[in-house]
Amino acid sequence: MGGAFEYIIRKFNEAANETSGDHYTPRDAIRLLVDLLFAEKDVDLTEGGIIRSLYDPTAGTGGMLSLAEEHLLAENPEAKLSLYGQEYNPQSYAICKSDLLAKGHDATNIAFGNTLTDDAFKGRQFDYCMSNPPYGVDWKQYAKAVKEERDSAGPYGRFAPGLPATSDCQMLFLLHLAHKMRAPEDGGGRVGIVMNGSPLFNGAAESGPSNIRRWLLENDLVEAIVALPTNMFFNTGIATYIWILDNTKHPDREGKVQLIDGTSFWTRMRPRADAFSAGEMS
C-alpha cells in the first residue's frame, strides 16, 4: 500500500512539474541512512533478545521505519525494534498505521498531528531517530506556537538553541531529533536526517541557523555529514546530505566531524514498470 501510494504521488508530481521531496524518500537513500544509523552499534545489535526504539517525526507512509526494521532483523532475527512515528498528512498516516498494524506492531505508537506544534511523544527519548523533513517549506503559520514553546520551555527546550528563518523548517526538525536522543547515561542515542544544503550555510553569524550549528558543534553531537549524489530525489537535482548525530561518540571521534563526499557513488537505473509493486523507484 505504501509503495503504491508513493508511486502515485510521484507520478502526479511529475505531471505538475513539482518537487516530491515532501512526499517520497528514495529507497536507496533510506538504506544508506539506516546503514549509517546502525553502524556504530553493530556489535550491540547482534545480542540475542535486544530491544531498541526507533522514531520518525515525519513518518509518511512508514517506509523509513519499515526498512530500518528489515535491516535490523536481517542482522539479528531475535532483535525487537519498537517503531514510533508522527505524521500530519491524514492519508499517509492511515497507510503507515495500517502497514505497521499488519506487521504486528503497536499501532498506537504512530500518532497523527504536526510534530512542530504538538509533539505526540513529549518527554520520550529514543535509541534511534531518523527523518527526511520537507525542504524549503515555510512554518510561518506555526511560528507563534513554536516561539511560545521556546520561551516557556527555557534553556532545555527543544528549540532553545535558536530558530531558523520561517521560510524553511528543516532545522526545527534537526533540533527536535537532537532533543529526542536517549540520554548518554541511559545508553545514548543516534540520529540520521536527510536535508538539503541550506542548513549547512544559511544565516549570518549569530543568526538562528548559525546558533543552532554552533550549539550542535559545541555539544559535539555531529558525527558525520554525507553528501549524496544529485538527482536522487524525483524532479529535482538539488544537493542532499545525510547528517548523523551521536551523543555518545566513540573516543576516536570525539571533537571531530567526518565529512564524506558520496556524490560520485551512483549508478543510473532504468525505470521499471513494476517498480512500485516491488516497493522501489529507480
Side-chain angles (χ1 to χ4, degrees), residues 59-187:
T61 57
M64 296 180 78
L65 294 173
S66 296
L67 281 179
E69 182 184 37
E70 290 175 11
H71 176 96
L72 181 57
L73 292 178
E75 299 294 325
N76 182 1
E78 297 181 14
K80 180 179 180 181
L81 192 62
S82 299
L83 305 179
Y84 297 81
Q86 186 165 349
E87 172 58 33
Y88 76 102
N89 180 289
Q91 290 83 12
S92 300
Y93 161 73
I95 291 174
C96 179
K97 200 175 185 76
S98 61
D99 184 41
L100 295 187
L101 183 64
K103 293 178 179 177
H105 288 281
D106 184 353
T108 61
N109 291 343
I110 305 301
F112 177 70
N114 187 328
T115 302
L116 298 180
T117 58
D118 182 20
D119 179 10
F121 301 98
K122 190 174 183 178
R124 291 289 302 271
Q125 294 180 319
F126 304 93
D127 298 299
Y128 300 99
C129 302
M130 61 194 305
S131 175
N132 176 29
Y135 304 155
V137 175
D138 73 66
W139 51 282
K140 294 177 183 176
Q141 58 183 317
Y142 315 128
K144 182 179 179 181
V146 170
K147 291 176 180 177
E148 286 178 350
E149 178 183 334
R150 178 199 59 183
D151 295 339
S152 63
Y156 300 106
R158 54 179 178 162
F159 302 130
L163 296 177
T166 55
S167 58
D168 192 348
C169 63
Q170 288 180 91
M171 297 190 84
L172 290 180
F173 284 102
L174 179 61
L175 283 176
H176 173 74
L177 290 183
H179 188 71
K180 287 296 183 183
M181 287 192 287
R182 191 175 299 282
E185 57 268 24
D186 295 327

Side-chain angles (χ1 to χ4, degrees), residues 32 36 224-228 240-244 258-262:
L32 176 59
L36 295 173
I225 299 176
V226 183
L228 299 177
T240 51
Y241 303 81
I242 291 178
W243 290 48
I244 300 295
Q258 185 173 5
L259 304 178
I260 301 173
D261 182 4

Side-chain angles (χ1 to χ4, degrees), residues 8-102:
I8 293 170
I9 289 294
R10 172 197 172 195
K11 300 306 288 187
F12 271 101
N13 283 337
E14 287 177 346
N17 194 30
E18 297 176 356
T19 59
S20 55
D22 189 21
H23 301 284
Y24 182 78
T25 310
R27 289 302 189 256
D28 287 342
I30 298 177
R31 291 189 180 99
L32 176 59
L33 173 59
V34 170
D35 284 343
L36 295 173
L37 193 63
F38 290 155
E40 285 294 303
K41 306 290 185 181
D42 276 349
V43 176
D44 297 337
L45 295 176
T46 58
E47 297 176 1
I50 66 162
I51 300 175
R52 296 292 185 270
S53 58
L54 174 67
Y55 168 66
D56 183 351
T58 54
T61 57
M64 296 180 78
L65 294 173
S66 296
L67 281 179
E69 182 184 37
E70 290 175 11
H71 176 96
L72 181 57
L73 292 178
E75 299 294 325
N76 182 1
E78 297 181 14
K80 180 179 180 181
L81 192 62
S82 299
L83 305 179
Y84 297 81
Q86 186 165 349
E87 172 58 33
Y88 76 102
N89 180 289
Q91 290 83 12
S92 300
Y93 161 73
I95 291 174
C96 179
K97 200 175 185 76
S98 61
D99 184 41
L100 295 187
L101 183 64

